[in-house]
Every structure is written in structure tokens, then in C-alpha cells.
Amino acid sequence: MSDRECPARWSRRRLLSLAAAGLGVGALAGPLGGAMAGSRSGSDGDGPTLPFDPTKGLRAFNHGTVIRENGVPIRVFEVQARSLTVPLRRATRFKAWTLDGSIPGPNLRARTGERIRVIFHNGDSTSHSLHFHGIHPAAMDGIQPVLFNRTKIYEFEAGAAGLYPYHCHVAPVARHVGKGLFGLLIVDPLQPRAPADELVLVMGGYDLHGAGHNDLYAFNGIPHHFMEHPIEIRQNQLVRLYLLNMVELEAPLTFHIHANSFEILREGPTGEFRERSDVVTLGVAERQILEFSYPFPGRYMFHPHQDQIAEKGCMGLFEVLAV
């Protein structure tokens, strides 16, 4: 298969045409290479070995280390920026700027009201920084470049429960974000939510030629990964999805799941409330917490409803396993 054909290898149109021919999505187990349990760790199907595994990143949460200073608990994280060559498809190698060697960076996790300390090491030859969304002093805003082999400490109080993107804020910001320097801070409420299978999906885009437009797109760093390696979830299991859009150079995107709907958890003046939909719209750096469960086993697509973006890598499958 040529490089030109690869981005559309499992396009939405192709899957729908197979379904129309009577095969159905559930009949695609062979061409797709099986569910994630049958995939080779650290590889993208029959393609090159990956420097990080997007499937593992789905459920990987970095809770840091809690220390005490003068009797005050502080949750400490360490994050390092470094360059990494990432195979985005079989014949495309992309020099990315990563945080802890993956795109997105680590899923940091804290609880509302905690004091957070992020120790940022810049191991890359280009200056970088970390800017956290949320409320904090100006000195902690992360707009000052951190030079090569230098360290900067960001410290602030975790805000209200919710999702807080973080990313490099060195100009040109779109380039630094587009090369992989972004991630998500999850702040949990004091009262835990109901138990759920918790997943993180972050949408990103790649401008391969510096032309001011994206050529490829991905969930969790690697185009088409979750078509090759569907995300396993259990029938009737509550899924809590932490969703973030970090696609620069684009108008707002949507996120859609097939054959189901989800609840969108929102914060209002009187606390948390919910809306139900099967599509949600996110501008750059917008994020949502979605909850859903699938009543029937099978394979179900998820993607932005901008098909031209989905077909260039930002598309995946949920593999719902019978219980």
C-alpha cells in the first residue's frame, strides 16, 4: 500500500461501503488485526515500532508524589521535554517535541484544593515552557522560555474539579503545540464520582511541511492507531471519557460516537449538571468529560464529524466485549 493510500486505509467511507455490502463493522476483525489485546505492544499493526503506546496512554494517570513541607502536603510532578522521531505512518518520520517521550504528555491527576508543584526540565535544544490553564499567579503562567538543560518549577493550587490543558507557550505557539508539547491535568472533585472505566483521548494535528495546514490527525499521537487497535470496553460498563482538542490550525472540531449517545458533564453556578448528545463541539484547547455505556457488543466508530479530518487519522473503534 502506498503512502498516499495509507491515511485513508480504514476511512469512514470505506467502512460504510463494506457495511452496505453486508459485511457490517463487526465483520472487520480480520483486516483490522483484532482488538488491542491481540496487537503487538509498541507497534502500529505491521508498521514500525512506536516510541510510545497510545493504547497504554488511554488509561495511564500520573498521580505524582505527595510530600510535606512545613506540614503542607504538595503533590509533585516531574516532566521533561525532549525531541523524538515519531513514525506517523509507514513512510513518514516526524521530528516531534514531546513531554516524557509521548504525545500527548502525561495525564497528570490531582484533587481540587491540593497544592501542585510541576518540575519542568527542558532536555531539548529548543526553548520550551509549560503553561497551565486555570487560576494562578503571573509568575506561574509559563510564558517565559526555559532554555536547554534548564529547569523551571511551576506551583499553584488545583482549581475547581475539571480538565485543564497544559502546553508549551513559546512563540510560535501553534508550532510548539503542533509538534506535540501538550497534555492534560485532571482535577478530581472531593466527592469521588461513580466508578467507571476512565479513558483519555486527545485530538492533535500534524503540519508535516510547515505550510500552515495539517496533513495528518490523531487521537493520542498516532494517526489511525485506534482503527488498528480498537479500544476494549465492557458491555454495560460506565465509561468516563476525558476528551481534549489540541488541533491547531483548524476551525472547531466535533466529536461523535456511533450507535450511542453520551452525557456531557458541565459545571454551573449550582454545581454539576448534564446534557445528552451524540456530538460535542470543541475549539482548540476546549475539553469535556463524557459518560456513556454500550448495551450491545460489537465495534463502534468514534471520530470528528469533519470526515476529511477523520479520514486523515483522527478516527477509532470501541470494541465492546460481551459479559
Side-chain angles (χ1 to χ4, degrees):
M1 181 170 292
S2 72
D3 220 23
R4 183 179 299 275
E5 293 171 322
C6 185
R9 183 177 174 189
W10 293 110
S11 73
R12 183 167 178 260
R13 290 191 181 95
R14 182 175 178 185
L15 286 171
L16 292 177
S17 68
L18 289 172
L23 293 178
V25 174
L28 297 175
L32 285 170
M36 74 178 183
S39 69
R40 292 185 298 155
S41 176
S43 68
D44 191 15
D46 296 326
T49 299
L50 301 175
F52 59 88
D53 187 346
T55 296
K56 289 183 179 178
L58 278 170
R59 297 177 173 92
F61 299 100
N62 183 346
H63 294 270
T65 302
V66 178
I67 64 171
R68 301 188 76 88
E69 289 186 358
N70 300 318
V72 177
I74 302 173
R75 192 172 295 275
V76 180
F77 302 94
E78 291 194 50
V79 180
Q80 182 181 51
R82 63 178 184 267
S83 293
L84 195 65
T85 298
V86 179
L88 297 180
R89 53 189 181 189
R90 284 166 177 76
T92 300
R93 301 296 182 270
F94 182 75
K95 185 179 179 182
W97 292 332
T98 72
L99 296 166
D100 285 0
S102 69
I103 304 173
N107 302 315
L108 308 182
R109 196 151 190 177
R111 192 171 297 278
T112 185
E114 288 185 327
R115 188 155 192 83
I116 295 174
R117 177 180 296 165
V118 181
I119 304 171
F120 173 60
H121 308 285
N122 184 13
D124 189 66
S125 58
T126 304
S127 295
H128 299 300
S129 71
L130 283 187
H131 163 70
F132 284 83
H133 287 218
I135 301 172
H136 45 247
M140 298 293 109
D141 202 32
I143 61 173
Q144 298 300 323
V146 180
L147 303 180
F148 167 64
N149 215 24
R150 299 289 180 88
T151 296
K152 170 70 177 178
I153 296 177
Y154 303 102
E155 192 162 327
F156 50 88
E157 302 289 335
L163 306 182
Y164 297 87
Y166 65 86
H167 57 86
C168 182
H169 213 291
V170 173
V173 177
R175 181 167 183 260
H176 285 244
V177 171
K179 287 177 73 68
L181 290 172
F182 55 85
L184 188 62
L185 167 65
I186 301 167
V187 178
D188 292 315
L190 292 176
Q191 181 64 38
R193 294 188 176 97
D197 183 6
E198 297 188 317
L199 310 174
V200 176
L201 284 176
V202 182
M203 294 186 282
Y206 294 103
D207 177 2
L208 299 181
H209 309 291
H213 63 82
N214 294 311
D215 303 287
L216 292 173
Y217 304 85
F219 285 106
N220 293 9
I222 303 297
H224 302 288
H225 179 82
F226 296 115
M227 293 300 291
E228 300 281 352
H229 310 287
I231 299 171
E232 288 187 351
I233 57 178
R234 297 286 178 181
Q235 180 184 9
N236 296 318
Q237 168 73 55
L238 177 65
V239 175
R240 182 171 299 119
L241 175 60
Y242 301 112
L243 177 68
L244 169 64
N245 174 24
M246 289 302 292
V247 178
E248 293 279 357
L249 310 176
E250 301 287 350
L253 302 183
T254 58
F255 176 81
H256 169 59
I257 64 175
H258 280 211
N260 207 345
S261 63
F262 45 72
E263 288 190 321
I264 309 167
L265 279 63
R266 300 191 187 274
E267 286 292 329
T270 59
E272 192 174 87
F273 67 98
R274 295 165 180 257
E275 298 175 7
R276 181 165 286 280
S277 181
D278 64 6
V279 178
V280 64
T281 302
L282 304 100
V284 183
E286 280 196 284
R287 58 278 186 190
Q288 296 291 352
I289 302 174
L290 311 180
E291 289 188 352
F292 56 90
S293 61
Y294 272 92
F296 306 111
R299 287 187 170 179
Y300 302 93
M301 295 184 73
F302 61 86
H303 55 84
H305 224 290
Q306 291 77 10
D307 288 349
Q308 74 279 9
I309 290 174
E311 291 171 2
K312 291 180 179 179
C314 204
M315 181 165 50
L317 293 167
F318 290 120
E319 175 87 12
V320 182
L321 305 177
V323 294

